[in-house]
mmCIF file of all heavy atoms in Angstrom:
data_model
loop_
_atom_site.group_PDB
_atom_site.id
_atom_site.type_symbol
_atom_site.label_atom_id
_atom_site.label_comp_id
_atom_site.label_asym_id
_atom_site.label_seq_id
_atom_site.Cartn_x
_atom_site.Cartn_y
_atom_site.Cartn_z
ATOM 1 N N THR B 459 -96.136 0.423 -37.936
ATOM 2 C CA THR B 459 -95.193 0.576 -39.027
ATOM 3 C C THR B 459 -93.754 1.088 -38.455
ATOM 4 O O THR B 459 -92.775 0.447 -38.820
ATOM 5 C CB THR B 459 -95.650 1.652 -39.933
ATOM 6 O OG1 THR B 459 -96.974 1.149 -40.456
ATOM 7 C CG2 THR B 459 -94.743 1.772 -41.225
ATOM 8 N N ALA B 460 -93.764 2.012 -37.431
ATOM 9 C CA ALA B 460 -92.485 2.396 -36.987
ATOM 10 C C ALA B 460 -91.798 1.220 -36.249
ATOM 11 O O ALA B 460 -90.580 1.161 -36.219
ATOM 12 C CB ALA B 460 -92.807 3.650 -35.946
ATOM 13 N N ALA B 461 -92.554 0.382 -35.561
ATOM 14 C CA ALA B 461 -91.957 -0.529 -34.859
ATOM 15 C C ALA B 461 -91.508 -1.812 -35.612
ATOM 16 O O ALA B 461 -90.464 -2.403 -35.335
ATOM 17 C CB ALA B 461 -93.028 -1.150 -33.689
ATOM 18 N N LEU B 462 -92.183 -2.118 -36.649
ATOM 19 C CA LEU B 462 -91.895 -3.350 -37.440
ATOM 20 C C LEU B 462 -91.221 -3.154 -38.826
ATOM 21 O O LEU B 462 -90.494 -4.007 -39.258
ATOM 22 C CB LEU B 462 -93.234 -4.142 -37.625
ATOM 23 C CG LEU B 462 -93.925 -4.545 -36.294
ATOM 24 C CD1 LEU B 462 -95.116 -5.450 -36.658
ATOM 25 C CD2 LEU B 462 -92.912 -5.309 -35.425
ATOM 26 N N ALA B 463 -91.475 -1.991 -39.449
ATOM 27 C CA ALA B 463 -90.846 -1.795 -40.682
ATOM 28 C C ALA B 463 -89.382 -1.416 -40.524
ATOM 29 O O ALA B 463 -89.056 -0.762 -39.600
ATOM 30 C CB ALA B 463 -91.614 -0.668 -41.464
ATOM 31 N N ASN B 464 -88.572 -1.763 -41.525
ATOM 32 C CA ASN B 464 -87.243 -1.341 -41.397
ATOM 33 C C ASN B 464 -86.850 -0.438 -42.646
ATOM 34 O O ASN B 464 -87.315 -0.715 -43.813
ATOM 35 C CB ASN B 464 -86.292 -2.702 -41.732
ATOM 36 C CG ASN B 464 -85.882 -3.241 -40.403
ATOM 37 O OD1 ASN B 464 -86.147 -2.687 -39.359
ATOM 38 N ND2 ASN B 464 -85.266 -4.440 -40.483
ATOM 39 N N ASN B 465 -86.100 0.566 -42.296
ATOM 40 C CA ASN B 465 -85.563 1.423 -43.364
ATOM 41 C C ASN B 465 -84.146 1.776 -43.118
ATOM 42 O O ASN B 465 -83.887 2.848 -42.467
ATOM 43 C CB ASN B 465 -86.519 2.777 -43.494
ATOM 44 C CG ASN B 465 -86.060 3.767 -44.598
ATOM 45 O OD1 ASN B 465 -85.132 3.295 -45.281
ATOM 46 N ND2 ASN B 465 -86.580 4.781 -44.687
ATOM 47 N N ASP B 466 -83.247 0.911 -43.313
ATOM 48 C CA ASP B 466 -81.939 1.010 -42.822
ATOM 49 C C ASP B 466 -81.035 1.401 -44.025
ATOM 50 O O ASP B 466 -81.086 0.874 -44.985
ATOM 51 C CB ASP B 466 -81.376 -0.311 -42.281
ATOM 52 C CG ASP B 466 -81.988 -0.756 -41.046
ATOM 53 O OD1 ASP B 466 -82.891 0.070 -40.513
ATOM 54 O OD2 ASP B 466 -81.648 -1.745 -40.456
ATOM 55 N N GLU B 467 -80.226 2.441 -43.741
ATOM 56 C CA GLU B 467 -79.260 2.846 -44.790
ATOM 57 C C GLU B 467 -77.943 2.617 -44.210
ATOM 58 O O GLU B 467 -77.518 3.495 -43.330
ATOM 59 C CB GLU B 467 -79.568 4.354 -45.145
ATOM 60 C CG GLU B 467 -78.538 4.850 -46.224
ATOM 61 C CD GLU B 467 -79.215 6.103 -46.747
ATOM 62 O OE1 GLU B 467 -80.142 6.126 -47.540
ATOM 63 O OE2 GLU B 467 -78.637 7.264 -46.491
ATOM 64 N N SER B 468 -77.156 1.791 -44.747
ATOM 65 C CA SER B 468 -75.811 1.634 -44.199
ATOM 66 C C SER B 468 -74.807 1.969 -45.180
ATOM 67 O O SER B 468 -74.984 1.733 -46.418
ATOM 68 C CB SER B 468 -75.552 0.288 -43.595
ATOM 69 O OG SER B 468 -75.055 -0.649 -44.481
ATOM 70 N N VAL B 469 -73.756 2.632 -44.787
ATOM 71 C CA VAL B 469 -72.725 3.125 -45.672
ATOM 72 C C VAL B 469 -71.360 2.722 -45.177
ATOM 73 O O VAL B 469 -71.004 2.896 -44.001
ATOM 74 C CB VAL B 469 -72.834 4.666 -45.913
ATOM 75 C CG1 VAL B 469 -71.620 5.163 -46.783
ATOM 76 C CG2 VAL B 469 -74.196 5.120 -46.523
ATOM 77 N N TRP B 470 -70.607 2.178 -46.110
ATOM 78 C CA TRP B 470 -69.194 1.866 -45.817
ATOM 79 C C TRP B 470 -68.481 2.912 -46.838
ATOM 80 O O TRP B 470 -68.734 2.794 -47.974
ATOM 81 C CB TRP B 470 -68.759 0.505 -46.078
ATOM 82 C CG TRP B 470 -69.037 -0.350 -44.815
ATOM 83 C CD1 TRP B 470 -70.060 -1.133 -44.676
ATOM 84 C CD2 TRP B 470 -68.211 -0.475 -43.663
ATOM 85 N NE1 TRP B 470 -70.051 -1.825 -43.439
ATOM 86 C CE2 TRP B 470 -68.794 -1.359 -42.797
ATOM 87 C CE3 TRP B 470 -66.907 0.098 -43.246
ATOM 88 C CZ2 TRP B 470 -68.223 -1.723 -41.594
ATOM 89 C CZ3 TRP B 470 -66.390 -0.300 -42.079
ATOM 90 C CH2 TRP B 470 -67.110 -1.252 -41.198
ATOM 91 N N ARG B 471 -67.549 3.563 -46.223
ATOM 92 C CA ARG B 471 -66.855 4.547 -47.164
ATOM 93 C C ARG B 471 -65.427 4.701 -46.768
ATOM 94 O O ARG B 471 -65.027 4.688 -45.639
ATOM 95 C CB ARG B 471 -67.490 5.987 -46.928
ATOM 96 C CG ARG B 471 -67.059 7.052 -47.768
ATOM 97 C CD ARG B 471 -68.031 8.231 -47.683
ATOM 98 N NE ARG B 471 -67.811 9.189 -48.755
ATOM 99 C CZ ARG B 471 -68.556 10.179 -49.105
ATOM 100 N NH1 ARG B 471 -69.758 10.356 -48.560
ATOM 101 N NH2 ARG B 471 -68.281 11.079 -49.987
ATOM 102 N N ALA B 472 -64.661 4.873 -47.773
ATOM 103 C CA ALA B 472 -63.148 5.079 -47.627
ATOM 104 C C ALA B 472 -62.778 6.291 -48.388
ATOM 105 O O ALA B 472 -63.174 6.459 -49.622
ATOM 106 C CB ALA B 472 -62.369 3.909 -48.077
ATOM 107 N N ILE B 473 -62.111 7.175 -47.750
ATOM 108 C CA ILE B 473 -61.632 8.377 -48.424
ATOM 109 C C ILE B 473 -60.170 8.411 -48.187
ATOM 110 O O ILE B 473 -59.704 8.332 -47.025
ATOM 111 C CB ILE B 473 -62.181 9.626 -47.884
ATOM 112 C CG1 ILE B 473 -63.785 9.687 -48.092
ATOM 113 C CG2 ILE B 473 -61.722 10.879 -48.611
ATOM 114 C CD1 ILE B 473 -64.551 10.703 -47.358
ATOM 115 N N ALA B 474 -59.313 8.495 -49.259
ATOM 116 C CA ALA B 474 -57.929 8.478 -48.978
ATOM 117 C C ALA B 474 -57.240 9.465 -49.991
ATOM 118 O O ALA B 474 -57.654 9.720 -51.048
ATOM 119 C CB ALA B 474 -57.307 6.988 -49.173
ATOM 120 N N SER B 475 -56.151 10.049 -49.486
ATOM 121 C CA SER B 475 -55.470 10.811 -50.352
ATOM 122 C C SER B 475 -53.942 10.759 -50.166
ATOM 123 O O SER B 475 -53.500 10.406 -48.982
ATOM 124 C CB SER B 475 -55.773 12.302 -50.169
ATOM 125 O OG SER B 475 -55.489 12.780 -48.864
ATOM 126 N N ALA B 476 -53.069 10.916 -51.238
ATOM 127 C CA ALA B 476 -51.667 10.899 -51.056
ATOM 128 C C ALA B 476 -51.207 12.180 -51.832
ATOM 129 O O ALA B 476 -51.830 12.488 -52.922
ATOM 130 C CB ALA B 476 -51.199 9.620 -51.679
ATOM 131 N N ASN B 477 -50.257 12.766 -51.282
ATOM 132 C CA ASN B 477 -49.694 13.842 -51.932
ATOM 133 C C ASN B 477 -48.206 14.044 -51.744
ATOM 134 O O ASN B 477 -47.714 13.464 -50.856
ATOM 135 C CB ASN B 477 -50.469 15.185 -51.565
ATOM 136 C CG ASN B 477 -50.382 15.376 -50.063
ATOM 137 O OD1 ASN B 477 -49.347 15.537 -49.438
ATOM 138 N ND2 ASN B 477 -51.631 15.541 -49.500
ATOM 139 N N ALA B 478 -47.653 14.609 -52.705
ATOM 140 C CA ALA B 478 -46.137 14.795 -52.672
ATOM 141 C C ALA B 478 -45.850 16.181 -53.017
ATOM 142 O O ALA B 478 -46.477 16.754 -54.044
ATOM 143 C CB ALA B 478 -45.543 13.749 -53.577
ATOM 144 N N SER B 479 -44.789 16.698 -52.483
ATOM 145 C CA SER B 479 -44.260 17.974 -52.940
ATOM 146 C C SER B 479 -42.651 17.891 -53.041
ATOM 147 O O SER B 479 -42.131 17.306 -52.125
ATOM 148 C CB SER B 479 -44.600 19.140 -52.103
ATOM 149 O OG SER B 479 -44.077 19.008 -50.853
ATOM 150 N N LEU B 480 -42.207 18.355 -54.032
ATOM 151 C CA LEU B 480 -40.690 18.234 -54.204
ATOM 152 C C LEU B 480 -40.159 19.528 -54.610
ATOM 153 O O LEU B 480 -40.641 20.280 -55.411
ATOM 154 C CB LEU B 480 -40.550 17.346 -55.437
ATOM 155 C CG LEU B 480 -39.096 16.992 -55.723
ATOM 156 C CD1 LEU B 480 -38.354 16.304 -54.806
ATOM 157 C CD2 LEU B 480 -39.150 16.298 -57.090
ATOM 158 N N VAL B 481 -39.227 20.036 -53.742
ATOM 159 C CA VAL B 481 -38.502 21.418 -54.115
ATOM 160 C C VAL B 481 -37.490 21.082 -55.136
ATOM 161 O O VAL B 481 -36.578 20.263 -55.026
ATOM 162 C CB VAL B 481 -37.867 21.830 -52.759
ATOM 163 C CG1 VAL B 481 -37.034 23.156 -53.066
ATOM 164 C CG2 VAL B 481 -38.957 21.974 -51.743
#
Side-chain angles (χ1 to χ4, degrees):
Chain B
T459 302
L462 302 182
N464 265 355
N465 179 7
D466 291 2
E467 177 165 292
S468 94
V469 174
W470 276 97
R471 185 165 191 164
I473 302 173
S475 66
N477 56 59
S479 68
L480 178 68
V481 176

